[in-house]
């Protein structure tokens, strides 16, 4: 049977650090194929991706990933625990993944496993909740609780990638114990770096360069931080008005939605706790941009990333009750975005081994006339959230010609021929 290494990714955009990770994942796993489970049009940080999911999937396949599968939006715009769990469960459903490779600042498997085990201890959960009552962030409360209750180094929790790594290990232990976790030390650039100082740069810095300068100049630091095929594609997308898409592009829609929401509906958004809905409601009537909305809502306890996820949930009309149901079921389908010749071979094997359907044509599972929430199956309800997310995301394209809806019905998985 064919074996692949799984990668849970965002590729926003695909850069040299991702290329290194891909090649190392294949090397250390010994797997001849690589499958990426990728966030769709909205990302884990609570932002729209800089460009659409099909373009990002094509960049990844051109760079050597064999198959890109979409992580449903009900898992992609989530905190580390749910993002990681959704990705691991989806990879496991494919039936061909033997290893999962992920980046971390501290790729010590023993320490990651100890931290993952600690998170399942009731005493740690109780201690974490007590810490949060003091106004600490989730990450800070988690670090204090785990280090105090389970003798795990609190420094392990100071990086977003370490947090994700711990949650990947935890999800593997719970849902896919046969998968082999492969932590890999991040190379050169830090997750939060905002400047490009070498050919390995953070996606944050690359996005900032694109926003500041527009088209990438061949030979520039941003150009050199990307595989050449990705740099060329980004410039093409810029020239046609598909890059950049930013959260600011949705300011008026987000403010309109939140101003129109009843307080009880606002309280029903994911990640809303302890009166935060009142603060966001008041902020929405003072703010004139999404940046002001975030600034008025921010506090020591509620990070910008958490607030961004909340307002994206408002934008997409996602509720706590919906997510609770989806978290029980896990991913219910594998939506194919792009593949190469190896990916085509993988798809044949996956079609025989997978425990969930492969979706290549959206209308085979949900038509545009079926989207009445009360009549949908759980699979259709999850897919409807992805379709809606794409329809809303399209409104952020710089060129109005790309803003039409129903793109999930009109766009087929992309076959990228080997070069």
């Amino acid at each position: 049977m064919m074996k692949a290494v799984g990668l849970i990714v965002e590729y926003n955009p695909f850069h040299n650090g991702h290329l290194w990770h891909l090649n190392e994942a294949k090397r250390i796993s010994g797997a001849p194929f690589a499958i990426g489970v990728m966030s769709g049009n909205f990302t884990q940080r609570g932002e729209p991706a800089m460009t659409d999911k099909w373009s990002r999937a094509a960049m990844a396949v051109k760079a050597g990933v064999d198959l890109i599968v979409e992580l449903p939006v009900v898992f992609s715009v989530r905190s580390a625990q749910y993002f990681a769990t959704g990705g691991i469960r989806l990879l496991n459903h494919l039936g061909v993944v033997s290893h999962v490779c992920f980046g971390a600042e501290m790729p010590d498997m023993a320490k990651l496993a100890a931290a993952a085990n600690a998170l399942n201890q009731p005493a740690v959960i109780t201690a974490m909740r007590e810490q949060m009552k003091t106004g600490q962030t989730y990450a800070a409360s988690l670090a204090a609780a785990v280090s105090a209750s389970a003798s795990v180094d609190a420094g392990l929790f100071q990086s977003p990638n370490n947090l994700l790594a711990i949650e990947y290990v935890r999800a593997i232990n719970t849902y896919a114990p046969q998968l082999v976790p492969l932590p890999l030390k991040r190379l050169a650039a830090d997750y939060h770096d905002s400047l490009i100082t070498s050919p390995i740069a953070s996606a944050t810095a690359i996005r900032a360069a694109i926003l500041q300068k527009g088209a990438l100049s061949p030979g520039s630091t941003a150009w050199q931080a990307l595989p050449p095929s990705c740099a060329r594609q980004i410039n093409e997308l810029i020239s046609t008005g598909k890059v950049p898409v930013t959260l600011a592009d949705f300011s008026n829609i987000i403010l309109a939605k939140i101003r129109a929401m009843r307080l009880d509906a606002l309280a029903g958004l994911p990640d809303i706790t302890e009166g935060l809905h009142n603060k966001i409601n008041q902020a929405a009537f003072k703010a004139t941009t999404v940046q002001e909305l975030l600034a008025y809502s921010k506090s020591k306890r509620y990070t910008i990333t958490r607030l961004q996820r909340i307002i994206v949930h408002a934008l997409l009309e996602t509720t706590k009750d919906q997510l609770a149901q989806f978290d029980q079921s896990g991913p219910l389908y594998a939506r194919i975005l792009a593949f190469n010749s190896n990916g085509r071979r993988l798809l044949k094997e996956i079609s025989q081994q997978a425990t969930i359907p492969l979706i290549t044509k959206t209308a085979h599972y949900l038509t545009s006339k079926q989207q009445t929430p009360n009549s949908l199956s759980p699979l259709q309800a999850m897919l409807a959230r992805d379709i809606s997310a794409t329809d809303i995301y399209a409104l952020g394209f710089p060129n109005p010609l790309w803003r039409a809806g129903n793109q999930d019905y009109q766009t087929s998985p992309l076959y990228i021929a080997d070069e």
Side-chain angles (χ1 to χ4, degrees):
M1 187 173 74
M2 301 172 77
K3 288 294 182 184
V5 60
L7 314 170
I8 301 172
V9 296
E10 296 202 299
Y11 293 157
N12 185 32
F14 191 100
H15 55 65
N16 287 340
H18 295 135
L19 181 61
W20 178 83
H21 173 228
L22 166 65
N23 291 334
E24 283 294 287
K26 286 185 175 181
R27 183 185 67 81
I28 62 179
S29 68
F33 307 106
I35 297 174
V37 166
M38 188 186 80
S39 297
N41 287 322
F42 290 88
T43 69
Q44 202 253 337
R45 290 165 61 94
E47 296 175 320
M50 182 163 270
T51 193
D52 68 280
K53 59 191 178 185
W54 292 286
S55 298
R56 288 166 30 245
M59 288 183 215
V61 173
K62 288 176 184 176
V65 183
D66 298 303
L67 173 65
I68 295 289
V69 179
E70 181 176 359
L71 180 63
V73 71
V74 296
F75 304 108
S76 69
V77 187
R78 302 293 298 281
S79 63
Q81 176 185 352
Y82 301 102
F83 177 89
T85 299
I88 292 296
R89 294 178 79 176
L90 182 46
L91 284 172
N92 190 46
H93 278 308
L94 300 180
V96 299
V97 176
S98 57
H99 300 72
V100 181
C101 186
F102 46 86
E105 272 70 28
M106 193 182 295
D108 184 315
M109 191 58 217
K111 291 181 179 179
L112 295 175
N117 291 332
L119 292 184
N120 291 326
Q121 296 176 15
V124 171
I125 302 301
T126 300
M128 181 187 72
R129 289 173 178 163
E130 290 301 314
Q131 286 287 333
M132 290 185 71
K133 289 178 181 177
T134 68
Q136 296 295 314
T137 64
Y138 172 81
S141 300
L142 188 62
V146 172
S147 60
S149 304
S151 300
V152 174
D153 181 7
L156 195 63
F157 296 85
Q158 292 177 356
S159 155
N161 287 292
N162 283 344
L163 280 172
L164 271 173
I166 292 164
E167 294 294 354
Y168 290 139
V169 174
R170 189 181 179 196
I172 288 170
N173 290 343
T174 303
Y175 295 102
Q178 78 282 6
L179 296 183
V180 179
L182 297 175
L184 189 64
K185 185 169 179 60
R186 282 177 60 85
L187 192 64
D190 182 73
Y191 180 86
H192 293 297
D193 281 352
S194 58
L195 297 176
I196 300 174
T197 57
S198 77
I200 302 291
S202 72
T204 300
I206 294 169
R207 291 194 299 272
I210 293 169
L211 285 171
Q212 180 182 3
K213 299 176 183 177
L216 302 175
S217 301
S220 66
T221 55
W223 181 283
Q224 292 176 358
L226 300 161
S229 62
C230 296
R232 290 193 296 269
Q233 186 174 346
I234 286 172
N235 272 356
E236 181 181 340
L237 291 165
I238 291 170
S239 69
T240 58
K242 274 194 160 184
V243 169
V245 178
T246 70
L247 192 60
D249 295 318
F250 299 91
S251 279
N252 287 345
I253 305 174
I254 289 168
L255 289 172
K257 290 227 177 202
I258 295 177
R259 288 180 184 183
M261 288 179 78
R262 300 190 316 271
L263 275 174
D264 60 339
L266 197 53
L269 292 176
D271 281 337
I272 292 279
T273 57
E274 298 180 354
L276 179 58
H277 59 295
N278 290 309
K279 188 170 187 178
I280 291 176
N281 172 263
Q282 294 164 10
F285 285 92
K286 290 192 295 182
T288 60
T289 66
V290 73
Q291 288 84 359
E292 289 183 355
L293 174 64
L294 292 167
Y296 290 141
S297 303
K298 189 180 183 303
S299 68
K300 181 180 177 182
R301 179 168 180 178
Y302 301 113
T303 64
I304 288 293
T305 297
R306 178 173 175 179
L307 291 169
Q308 285 181 171
R309 283 197 291 263
I310 289 170
I311 65 175
V312 167
H313 287 307
L315 176 67
L316 303 181
E317 298 183 355
T318 318
T319 69
K320 289 176 183 174
D321 290 343
Q322 289 171 350
L323 292 190
Q325 294 175 1
F326 295 137
D327 289 338
Q328 285 290 320
S329 69
L332 294 171
Y333 50 83
R335 177 84 181 282
I336 310 304
L337 295 179
F339 58 96
N340 59 16
S341 59
N342 283 335
R344 179 175 281 163
R345 293 168 59 197
L346 277 170
L347 286 170
K348 290 180 181 178
E349 182 78 13
I350 292 170
S351 67
Q352 298 174 357
Q353 304 294 336
T355 54
I356 53 176
L358 305 187
I359 296 183
T360 56
K361 289 191 179 296
T362 302
H364 287 177
Y365 292 86
L366 181 66
T367 70
S368 58
K369 297 179 180 179
Q370 286 179 296
Q371 293 193 44
T372 304
N374 294 335
S375 65
L376 300 183
S377 70
L379 182 154
Q380 289 174 321
M382 188 177 291
L383 184 57
R385 305 316 309 163
D386 286 342
I387 294 166
S388 177
T390 299
D391 289 339
I392 292 169
Y393 177 87
L395 296 172
F397 283 127
N399 186 341
L401 294 176
W402 297 112
R403 294 178 189 167
N406 287 331
Q407 294 182 21
D408 273 312
Y409 291 105
Q410 299 161 359
T411 309
S412 298
L414 304 175
Y415 171 66
I416 309 296
D418 300 328
E419 295 184 356

